[in-house]
């Protein structure tokens, strides 16, 4: 995790979101790679045992208590919500799209295709993983000791996960970096520390524009997030919390309200009511997911040891 943080400090010095397109492509390829490996291993495990270990009702009572089953189901909703909380970078991505055709048309096609593909992969991986291990299915098939062989294939999959997360970290953080730096430049326009760009020549490439404020604050940010991650290694629970708190307001509520305002949809019309019901249903899901994820963190804290990951 320290090495991961060091790599993020280096990549965080890429000035703008549009300059990490290559890192985003690499991350996407890695995502396909480890998802395909996990799916393939799940299919192989089912073929080896000759039966489906899972059931339609989920983990049976006895393996976990009824209360644990409810909380874990809610936590799973948070994990799913996190997987679809891409709205915070949607506009940033759209700003990098060339036109014609219009950015709106391109993003509609890209969004539809990405949602279909990711849903297909997630459903297949989740269902085949559960079919392979049943009640004993780990939170992460590739790192939770679900599979042991072949070792070389698992090593490739886990390397792909790390590379994917390196890219994903940048994709999600670059908009935040840009926001803070824009605010600082507007707040302190005369500060040389914040606004001055120092050109550093790089043989064979364009000069790199070094900004001291960018260097210092992005480095501090990465260090803080890395330390927090090492302190609280509760991956599924934390992802569930982030998904629960980010899904409804950013992915559902604001887009729905903007759509209503843009299309001037009359209040209490059929379309308006359907959109409000959708928004309310997603709010309930987010609340349930937050409750389940928080309960999971509380349980983790009972056996919590700082800087140690338990499986």
């Amino acid at each position: 995790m320290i090495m991961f943080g060091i790599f993020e400090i280096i990549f965080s010095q890429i000035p703008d979101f549009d300059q990490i397109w290559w890192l985003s492509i690499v991350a996407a390829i890695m995502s396909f790679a480890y998802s395909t490996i996990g799916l393939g291993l799940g299919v192989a495990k089912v073929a080896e045992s000759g039966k489906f270990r899972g059931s339609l009702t989920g983990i049976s009572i006895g393996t976990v208590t009824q209360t644990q089953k409810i909380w874990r189901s809610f936590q799973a909703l948070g994990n799913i919500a996190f997987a679809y909380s891409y709205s915070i970078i949607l506009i940033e991505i759209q700003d990098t799209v060339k036109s014609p055709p219009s950015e709106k048309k391109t993003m509609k096609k890209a969004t539809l295709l990405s949602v279909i593909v990711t849903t297909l992969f997630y459903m297949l991986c989740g269902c085949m993983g559960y079919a392979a291990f049943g009640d004993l299915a780990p939170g992460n098939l590739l790192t939770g000791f679900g599979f042991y062989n072949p070792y070389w294939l698992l090593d490739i999959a886990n390397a792909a996960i790390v590379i994917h997360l390196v890219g994903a970290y940048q994709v999600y953080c670059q908009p935040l970096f840009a926001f803070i730096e824009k605010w600082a430049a507007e707040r302190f326009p005369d500060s040389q520390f914040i606004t001055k760009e120092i050109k550093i020549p790089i043989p064979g490439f364009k000069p790199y524009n070094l900004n001291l404020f960018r260097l210092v604050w992005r480095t501090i940010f990465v260090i803080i997030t890395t330390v927090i991650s090492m302190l609280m290694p509760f991956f599924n629970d934390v992802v569930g919390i982030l998904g629960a708190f980010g899904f409804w307001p950013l992915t559902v509520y604001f887009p729905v309200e903007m759509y209503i305002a843009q299309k001037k949809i009359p209040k209490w019309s059929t379309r308006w009511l359907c959109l409000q019901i959708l928004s309310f249903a997603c709010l309930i899901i987010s609340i349930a997911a937050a409750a389940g994820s928080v309960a999971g963190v509380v349980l983790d804290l009972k056996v919590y040891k700082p800087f140690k990951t338990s499986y």
Side-chain angles (χ1 to χ4, degrees), residues 83-150:
Y84 290 94
S85 297
Y86 60 90
S87 58
I88 58 175
I89 58 171
L90 193 65
I91 296 175
E92 300 291 338
I93 294 173
Q94 185 167 315
D95 285 343
T96 67
V97 175
K98 295 180 180 179
S99 60
S102 68
E103 295 92 337
K104 178 182 175 183
K105 289 182 179 179
T106 303
M107 288 306 296
K108 271 190 174 182
K109 291 180 181 178
T111 301
L112 179 63
L113 180 62
S114 63
V115 168
I116 290 173
V117 172
T118 53
T119 300
L120 180 64
F121 264 93
Y122 291 154
M123 288 297 292
L124 285 173
C125 288
C127 291
M128 290 310 302
Y130 183 53
F133 296 102
D135 291 352
L136 299 178
N140 188 320
L141 291 176
L142 297 171
T143 60
F145 302 108
F147 298 108
Y148 291 94
N149 289 302

Side-chain angles (χ1 to χ4, degrees), residues 122-272:
Y122 291 154
M123 288 297 292
L124 285 173
C125 288
C127 291
M128 290 310 302
Y130 183 53
F133 296 102
D135 291 352
L136 299 178
N140 188 320
L141 291 176
L142 297 171
T143 60
F145 302 108
F147 298 108
Y148 291 94
N149 289 302
Y151 285 111
W152 62 270
L153 191 58
L154 287 173
D155 288 341
I156 292 174
N158 285 303
I161 290 175
V162 173
I163 297 170
H164 167 73
L165 290 177
V166 168
Y169 185 103
Q170 290 303 314
V171 168
Y172 275 87
C173 287
Q174 282 287 343
L176 174 64
F177 293 158
F179 173 78
I180 295 296
E181 286 154 20
K182 181 181 178 182
W183 173 85
E186 292 174 351
R187 183 72 175 80
F188 307 101
D190 299 324
S191 172
Q192 291 289 311
F193 174 71
I194 293 175
T195 60
K196 186 177 180 180
E197 299 279 348
I198 303 171
K199 290 190 178 295
I200 299 178
I202 302 176
F205 297 93
K206 293 181 180 178
Y208 175 75
N209 294 323
L210 175 66
N211 179 279
L212 292 178
F213 174 68
R214 181 170 64 231
L215 174 65
V216 173
W217 112 261
R218 292 190 183 190
T219 300
I220 292 173
F221 178 87
V222 174
I223 290 172
I224 291 173
T225 55
T226 303
V227 171
I228 292 173
S229 300
M230 294 169 67
L231 273 171
M232 300 184 65
F234 316 138
F235 185 79
N236 283 13
D237 297 324
V238 172
V239 164
I241 291 174
L242 294 176
F245 284 103
F247 178 69
W248 180 73
L250 298 176
T251 306
V252 181
Y253 176 74
F254 284 118
V256 165
E257 293 302 315
M258 287 189 287
Y259 177 78
I260 290 173
Q262 183 190 38
K263 298 294 183 180
K264 296 182 173 59
I265 298 174
K267 201 171 185 179
W268 303 112
S269 64
T270 302
R271 181 181 290 187
W272 185 89

Side-chain angles (χ1 to χ4, degrees), residues 68 72 230-235 237 294-311:
Q68 285 176 324
R72 290 185 183 185
M230 294 169 67
L231 273 171
M232 300 184 65
F234 316 138
F235 185 79
D237 297 324
V294 169
V297 170
V298 171
L299 289 174
D300 288 335
L301 288 173
K302 291 181 179 179
V303 292
Y304 167 64
K305 294 181 180 180
F307 299 106
K308 286 187 179 182
T309 304
S310 58
Y311 293 98

